[in-house]
């Protein structure tokens, strides 16, 4: 039985956001690293946490901490109410029809593994195709490889076109062959900054009866997400990439799909009745949440969702894109000394690049000495890196608390690095 989620309760900010003032909510940003003001540009890996999220965690542990569901004492009731309120809040955050469509996981990775195991075990057989794209994070490749290994299914990949790093939509129908049973793709690429047209892709897949999963790790905290509008069967994301604590994430599953799935892990909380030889299961979502969940994580995630919606996710998306475009245009001025990856326009708030003759790890190490936190490596996109003929890239990824002045300083640091390695 699906229940309607409660109406949204948060205070929208005035039209114009004072982005600089928001930095006051993030004490961690106000520090020196190696004698320089910290510039935190590693937000695609994890974001920083604002004071309301830290306070919610502290408040929970100081006043309400207990285990959920099993107790009938006051603290357990409070903890249960807080945990279930976070579930309803998550449903509203992505416009799910009901809180019963929300499963708490450890994060995006665990959500995809849950689907690959529980849904995959029931629905995938030898000869079926699992369709992914060439820009997937390892989290959205390896669980499907494991499933294919268990079942005899095959994996296929929608190609990424050229250096621009977009999906070739004109050929999508060629990839959606009759053997495709599942299409899983990322909403925003963590290494290219490409924003995929997931709504259009899911609509085309759905017409053919293909089940769809969208990896929202890089999108949920950066733009409004409406799972009903996207039309996907599953949507996964991680709290720590959107101002919330680590250790918790959300798997949305369409009610009808979740109800048809067998359990994933067995244990306490997910059962109706246990005999020595057999057991019966609770309905979704509890069927998929064996054991004590991350209760404080859910409380922190709830606070993060309120915080982000208090700013307005459409405003965050706009600001992100401005920062991404600003950084991309500044980097483009390096001309022949730089290789830039990903789309030139309409990109998310991150840039991936290589400076000529400078290894990404060296670049990131020197930038760190100047207080600039970047990431260098394959970004859990090894097959994509190989396709581009590189081992790694350097990546600067932004969030709403970053500024154009920080990007200017980052560009200055890159020029110093270029000079240093040229001598
Ligand atoms: C696109 C994408 N998918 C999945 C993940 C995995 O997220 P987590 O490590 O929080 O499970 C990431 C993390 O960087 C990501 O960027």
């Amino acid at each position: 039985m699906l229940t309607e989620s409660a109406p949204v309760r948060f205070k929208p900010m005035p039209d114009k956001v004072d982005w600089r003032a928001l930095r006051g909510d993030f004490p961690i940003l106000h520090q020196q690293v190696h004698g320089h003001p910290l510039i935190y540009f590693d937000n695609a890996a994890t974001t920083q946490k604002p004071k309301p999220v830290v306070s919610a965690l502290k408040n929970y542990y100081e006043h309400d901490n207990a285990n959920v569901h099993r107790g009938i004492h006051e603290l357990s009731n409070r903890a249960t109410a807080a945990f279930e309120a976070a579930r309803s809040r998550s449903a509203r955050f992505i416009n799910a029809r009901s809180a019963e469509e929300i499963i708490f996981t450890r994060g995006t990775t665990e959500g995809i593994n849950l689907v690959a195991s529980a849904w995959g075990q029931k629905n995938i057989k030898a000869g079926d195709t699992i369709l992914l794209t060439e820009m997937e994070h390892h989290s959205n490749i390896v669980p499907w490889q494991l499933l294919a290994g268990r079942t005899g299914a095959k994996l296929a990949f929608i190609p990424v076109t050229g250096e621009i790093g977009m999906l070739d939509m004109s050929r999508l129908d060629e990839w959606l062959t009759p053997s495709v049973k599942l299409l899983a793709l990322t909403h925003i690429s963590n290494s290219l900054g490409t924003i995929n047209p997931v709504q259009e892709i899911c609509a085309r897949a759905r017409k053919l009866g293909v089940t769809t999963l969208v990896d929202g790790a890089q999108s949920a905290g950066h733009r409004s997400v409406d799972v009903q509008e996207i039309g996907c069967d599953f949507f996964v994301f991680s709290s720590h990439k959107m101002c919330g604590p680590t250790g918790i994430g959300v798997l949305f599953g369409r009610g009808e799909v979740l109800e048809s799935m067998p359990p994933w892990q067995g244990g306490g909380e997910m059962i109706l009745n246990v005999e020595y030889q057999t057991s019966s299961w609770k309905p979704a979502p509890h069927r998929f949440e064996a054991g004590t969940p991350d209760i404080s994580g859910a409380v922190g995630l709830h606070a993060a969702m309120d915080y982000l919606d208090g700013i307005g996710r459409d405003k965050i998306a706009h600001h992100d894109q401005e920062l991404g475009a600003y950084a991309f245009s500044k980097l483009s001025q390096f001309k022949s000394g730089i290789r830039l990856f990903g789309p030139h326009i309409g990109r998310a708030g991150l840039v991936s690049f290589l400076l000529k003759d400078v290894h990404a790890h060296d670049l990131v190490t020197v930038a760190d000495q100047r207080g600039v936190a970047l990431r260098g490596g394959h970004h859990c996109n090894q097959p994509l890196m190989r396709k581009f003929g590189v081992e790694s890239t350097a990546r600067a990824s932004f969030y709403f608390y970053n500024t154009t002045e920080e990007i200017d300083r980052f560009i200055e640091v890159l020029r110093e690095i270029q000079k240093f390695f040229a001598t």
Side-chain angles (χ1 to χ4, degrees), residues 348-362:
L350 66 88
V351 284
S352 228
F353 61 95
L354 278 175
L355 285 186
K356 193 161 175 274
D357 300 328
V358 188
H359 194 284
H361 285 152
D362 294 335

Side-chain angles (χ1 to χ4, degrees), residues 44-45 107-110 137 139 186 188 190 215 217-218 238 240-241:
T108 305
T109 305
E110 189 171 88
H137 189 278
S139 299
T186 193
I188 295 183
N190 64 304
D215 172 350
Q218 297 296 340
S238 302
H240 71 96
K241 292 185 194 287

Side-chain angles (χ1 to χ4, degrees), residues 23 25-31 38-51 53-54 239-245 304 307-308 373 399-402:
R23 289 174 65 83
D25 290 338
F26 295 83
I28 199 168
L29 296 176
H30 307 282
Q31 61 175 296
L38 168 67
I39 295 180
Y40 186 78
F41 281 173
D42 196 17
N43 293 288
T46 201
T47 63
Q48 299 303 344
K49 321 301 172 198
K51 283 180 193 165
V53 169
V54 178
S239 150
H240 71 96
K241 292 185 194 287
M242 43 169 281
C243 290
Y307 184 83
L308 293 177
Y399 211 12
F400 56 84
Y401 41 67
N402 292 128

